[in-house]
Amino acid sequence: MVDLAKGHVAAIDHLMSHTGEGVFNLGTGHGCSVLDMVHAFEEANGVQTSYVIVPRNPGDLPTCYADPSKSREILGWEAAHDRNDMCRDSWHWQSQNPNGCDD
């Protein structure tokens, strides 16, 4: 979540002083599947999750990723954390805030 916040700040800073296109992809540039995310979550947190593998829905992509090259070139932004870091940090936050931001 820190990477995403830093990317948003970099984009806002850029847009405050530049006109024109303001669309930037913030991501690692590496695709992942739902199963990749399940395994990353399990590895990062030591938590076993149960799941059932079913066929993809029509139109579902096998992987999804953002090309961050424009963000790197123009904003000087690059993801510093990997998938396991993101899963660990998200789980930690959710564990500490079971009701979300209502606490």
Side-chain angles (χ1 to χ4, degrees), residues 3 28-41 44-45 64-65 79-90:
D3 281 343
T28 63
H30 303 287
C32 67
S33 67
V34 173
L35 191 56
D36 291 335
M37 290 301 295
V38 168
H39 291 315
F41 177 85
N45 300 299
C64 181
Y65 64 96
H81 301 280
D82 66 16
R83 189 178 313 142
N84 284 359
D85 294 333
M86 292 180 234
C87 288
R88 184 196 62 241
D89 292 348
S90 295

Side-chain angles (χ1 to χ4, degrees), residues 35-52:
L35 191 56
D36 291 335
M37 290 301 295
V38 168
H39 291 315
F41 177 85
E42 290 177 332
E43 184 176 331
N45 300 299
V47 174
Q48 289 297 111
T49 49
S50 59
Y51 56 87
V52 176

